[in-house]
């Protein structure tokens, strides 16, 4: 998923005793993936580090991708004494048809060419 302003790829580090308040993405054109690289140690039944998506609590599992529609409200917490690190990236929503993906990409390319997105006008 490239060429549009709603696609990202980065490492997300959540420090000990921290959280990210409830928020949601601007569009449902994408699915967001959290690929956990470093997770705090947890005992069975503990939820010292986790995520809530659309009111449902989820847990990361080391090395297992977690895909979700980030247009749903979600929040993250880390009540442990260790960092949590995930590789975060976006993919096109699988419910979109190829023609829709192309139309969205073309729309943003046009907007960029017009200088509406900070790109240079041609």
């Amino acid at each position: 998923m490239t060429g549009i302003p709603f696609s990202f790829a980065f490492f997300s580090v959540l420090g000990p005793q921290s959280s990210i308040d409830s928020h949601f993405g601007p569009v449902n054109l994408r699915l967001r993936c959290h690929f956990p690289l470093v997770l705090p140690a947890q005992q069975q039944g503990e939820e010292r580090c986790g995520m809530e998506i659309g009111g449902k609590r989820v847990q990361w599992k080391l090395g297992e991708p977690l895909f979700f529609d980030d247009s749903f409200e979600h929040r993250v917490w880390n009540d442990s004494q260790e960092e949590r690190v995930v590789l975060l990236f976006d993919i096109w929503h699988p419910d979109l048809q190829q023609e829709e993906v192309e139309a969205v990409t073309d729309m943003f390319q046009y907007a960029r060419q017009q200088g509406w997105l900070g790109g240079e006008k041609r």
Side-chain angles (χ1 to χ4, degrees), residues 1 6-8 27-34 66-72 88-96:
M1 183 175 196
F6 302 121
S7 60
F8 298 95
V27 295
N28 66 346
L29 296 171
R30 66 185 182 203
L31 292 185
R32 179 144 286 172
C33 178
H34 282 194
L66 172 66
F67 291 93
F68 65 100
D69 182 337
D70 87 327
S71 68
F72 289 91
L88 185 153
F89 61 91
D90 298 320
I91 62 169
W92 286 106
H93 198 292
D95 289 343
L96 292 174

Side-chain angles (χ1 to χ4, degrees), residues 16-43:
Q17 301 298 311
S18 59
S19 63
I20 300 173
D21 290 336
S22 292
H23 62 286
F24 50 87
V27 295
N28 66 346
L29 296 171
R30 66 185 182 203
L31 292 185
R32 179 144 286 172
C33 178
H34 282 194
F35 190 85
L37 302 172
V38 177
L39 294 176
Q42 298 192 89
Q43 301 297 321

Side-chain angles (χ1 to χ4, degrees), residues 2 19 31 33 48 53 57 64 77 89 95 112 115-116:
T2 60
S19 63
L31 292 185
C33 178
R48 296 187 307 162
I53 305 167
R57 288 181 173 234
E64 291 184 24
W77 67 91
F89 61 91
D95 289 343
R112 191 170 290 106
W116 302 336

Side-chain angles (χ1 to χ4, degrees), residues 48-85:
R48 296 187 307 162
C49 184
M51 185 172 186
E52 185 176 272
I53 305 167
K56 180 181 176 188
R57 288 181 173 234
V58 298
Q59 294 289 310
W60 296 281
K61 294 179 182 168
L62 197 58
E64 291 184 24
L66 172 66
F67 291 93
F68 65 100
D69 182 337
D70 87 327
S71 68
F72 289 91
E73 187 173 13
H74 54 283
R75 68 183 185 93
V76 177
W77 67 91
N78 182 2
D79 296 334
S80 78
Q81 298 301 318
E82 304 168 60
E83 287 185 336
R84 182 240 48 190
V85 181

